[in-house]
């Protein structure tokens, strides 16, 4: 029996708010005969889209293969709060891996977010992109004093942040919390429209999407990779990239990574009830709550994450978790109608340090992968696209050591 090279998962359930919006068709074709290209990318979601845009822009021919089809995996489940903040606060990451490495990771995350914003604008991709400030609330992980330490850590690394006390939180945002940390110019998008735009940009060059196509085996040679497909034909390439998101490739090292479950809701349109400035709002808690204004002035609220990956168990909790999110949203913003018109759940990859692993696979020559995006499921794919373009083209990247599969998760660096 032919097996897949990736761990096949039911990545999401329910109907997200993005699926209620139309999307222009994305050209794809079946794989009916052997094919050749410079690069094969496995996965046609946001990660594959960004990587395809980057390497095709470098002049390489690209094939994107997906066992479902474009944008049918986890991308529609994204709530698309694009921030440079990673899941582990900077003040804590410093203790885990050292000041120098922790600051470099946060700084590169910020650069990736800026690059994504600039690239989207350059390509003219219409994805409802809008800059939003981000309000990080005190919670079970960081109290008010913890947020002060986080503010100091971020300022040391060059980030502009503002600490807000209880009075300011109430008068400015109508939130009754004792403290918050405000950061600036993060990004909100429609993830399907964004990914679709990057796919179409790649398709305008020497890129093709073949689907449904499932790669079942690989053979590496001095000159490249031969990928065998479940459909029969083979694909001959110089480089292969696993961009299959939270369906971790079986051949990829997974030390320090895990798959967790998450839930989200979207309310009816209620523009008159929105909080001042419409900033992102999220908690320094575990599990954390996050809130943003979505399309048509709906409220998107998510979180309640749990550290298991069983799809049936995750799906069975959808109604219960949606009700919890409704109650938490109502407590945070009493003026809002918290009732969900959309509710969905999905899987996402996490790591001990909140950072992804990106780079070559030592046991598979000419093969690369990117996994473990955590709460940065669009920012980190942009980072992966930059690093992998540098590796594949030979130009290089100055931060490959921070994200390689051989990085030490548990051994602190000096600095």
């Amino acid at each position: 029996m032919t097996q897949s090279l990736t761990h096949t998962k039911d990545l999401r359930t329910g109907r997200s708010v993005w699926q209620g919006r139309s999307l222009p068709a994305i050209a794809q074709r079946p794989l009916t005969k052997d094919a050749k290209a410079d690069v094969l990318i496995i996965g046609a979601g946001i990660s594959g889209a960004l990587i395809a845009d980057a390497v095709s822009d470098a002049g390489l021919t690209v094939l994107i293969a997906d066992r479902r089809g474009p944008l049918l995996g986890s991308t529609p489940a994204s709530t698309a709060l694009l921030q440079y903040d990673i899941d582990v606060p900077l003040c804590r990451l410093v203790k885990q891996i050292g000041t120098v490495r922790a600051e470099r990771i946060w700084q590169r995350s910020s650069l990736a977010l800026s690059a994504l914003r600039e690239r989207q604008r350059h390509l003219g991709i219409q994805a409802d992109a809008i800059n939003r400030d981000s309000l990080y609330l005190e919670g079970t992980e960081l109290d008010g004093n913890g947020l002060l330490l986080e503010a100091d850590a971020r300022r040391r690394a060059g980030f502009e942040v503002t600490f807000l006390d209880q009075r300011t939180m109430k008068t400015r945002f109508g939130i009754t919390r004792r403290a918050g940390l405000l950061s600036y110019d993060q990004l909100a998008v429609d993830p399907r429209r964004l990914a679709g735009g990057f796919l179409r940009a790649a398709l305008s060059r020497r890129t093709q999407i073949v689907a449904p196509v499932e790669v079942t085996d690989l053979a590496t040679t001095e000159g490249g990779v031969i990928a065998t497909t479940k459909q029969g034909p083979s694909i001959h390439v110089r480089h292969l990239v696993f961009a299959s998101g939270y369906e971790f490739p079986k051949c990829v090292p997974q030390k320090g990574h895990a798959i967790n479950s998450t839930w989200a809701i979207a309310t009816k349109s209620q523009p008159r009830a929105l909080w001042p400035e419409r900033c992102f709002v999220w908690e320094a808690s575990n599990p954390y709550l996050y809130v943003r204004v979505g399309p048509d002035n709906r409220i998107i609220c998510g979180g309640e994450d749990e550290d298991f990956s069983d799809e049936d168990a995750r799906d069975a909790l959808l109604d219960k978790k949606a009700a919890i999110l409704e109650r938490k949203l109502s407590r945070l913003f009493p003026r809002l109608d918290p009732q969900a018109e959309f509710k969905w759940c999905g899987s996402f990859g996490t790591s001990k340090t909140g950072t992804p692993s990106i780079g070559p696979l030592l046991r598979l020559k000419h093969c690369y992968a990117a996994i473990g995006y955590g709460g940065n499921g669009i920012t980190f794919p942009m980072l992966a696209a930059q690093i992998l373009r540098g590796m594949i083209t030979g130009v290089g990247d100055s931060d490959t050591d921070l994200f390689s599969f051989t990085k030490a998760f548990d051994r602190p660096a000096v600095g």
Side-chain angles (χ1 to χ4, degrees), residues 4-41:
S4 173
L5 276 178
T6 59
H7 292 282
T8 302
K9 288 184 173 292
D10 175 12
L11 293 172
R12 57 182 169 81
T13 298
R15 184 168 173 81
S16 75
V17 65
W18 317 113
Q19 292 171 281
R21 316 182 82 199
S22 61
L23 188 71
I26 298 171
Q28 59 181 309
R29 65 173 180 83
L31 185 67
T32 57
K33 60 182 180 179
D34 290 354
K36 291 184 178 181
D38 292 321
V39 182
L40 170 62
I41 298 171

Side-chain angles (χ1 to χ4, degrees), residues 82-238:
L82 278 61
Q83 303 188 118
Y84 63 74
D85 312 50
I86 73 172
D87 289 345
V88 178
L90 180 55
C91 63
R92 290 193 172 179
L93 190 62
V94 163
K95 294 179 180 179
Q96 286 183 250
I97 63 173
T99 301
V100 173
R101 288 170 63 194
E103 288 183 351
R104 284 176 61 201
I105 287 169
W106 271 69
Q107 290 160 350
R108 185 56 188 266
S109 180
S110 179
L111 287 172
L113 178 60
S114 295
L116 178 63
R117 181 188 288 113
E118 293 158 5
R119 186 68 178 164
Q120 172 257 330
R121 195 175 83 177
H122 167 70
L123 294 172
I125 296 172
Q126 301 301 312
D128 299 333
I130 185 169
N131 288 353
R132 293 288 189 206
D133 296 339
S134 181
L135 182 59
Y136 191 32
L137 304 179
E138 63 157 359
T140 58
E141 293 292 297
L142 294 177
D143 59 11
N145 289 331
L147 288 182
L148 283 170
L149 292 174
E150 179 68 4
D152 288 342
R154 294 195 194 188
R155 291 187 184 111
R156 174 193 160 94
F159 296 99
E160 180 60 33
V161 293
T162 302
F163 178 83
L164 305 178
D165 60 20
Q166 185 175 17
R167 181 177 179 181
T168 306
M169 293 276 287
K170 177 64 176 176
T171 57
R172 183 168 174 180
F173 297 105
I175 296 176
T176 55
R177 295 291 182 96
R178 290 189 296 274
L181 194 64
L182 191 66
S183 57
Y184 303 94
D185 285 339
Q186 315 278 24
L187 189 64
V189 298
D190 178 324
R192 288 176 76 235
R193 292 183 177 183
L194 183 75
F198 276 101
L199 283 175
R200 284 187 289 275
L203 289 169
S204 71
R205 307 182 195 107
R206 294 189 294 166
T207 297
Q208 295 184 62
I209 299 175
V210 289
V213 171
E214 190 163 357
V215 176
T216 57
D217 197 13
L218 299 178
T220 60
T221 69
E222 284 301 313
V225 182
I226 302 171
T228 303
T229 70
K230 184 177 180 179
Q231 287 67 28
S234 297
I235 303 172
H236 300 245
V237 293
R238 291 165 52 202

Side-chain angles (χ1 to χ4, degrees), residues 55-98:
V55 295
S56 64
D57 182 66
L60 302 178
T61 58
V62 179
L63 268 181
I64 306 172
D66 195 288
R67 69 181 185 88
R68 298 181 182 89
L71 311 183
L72 295 178
S74 59
T75 298
S78 172
T79 47
L81 292 82
L82 278 61
Q83 303 188 118
Y84 63 74
D85 312 50
I86 73 172
D87 289 345
V88 178
L90 180 55
C91 63
R92 290 193 172 179
L93 190 62
V94 163
K95 294 179 180 179
Q96 286 183 250
I97 63 173

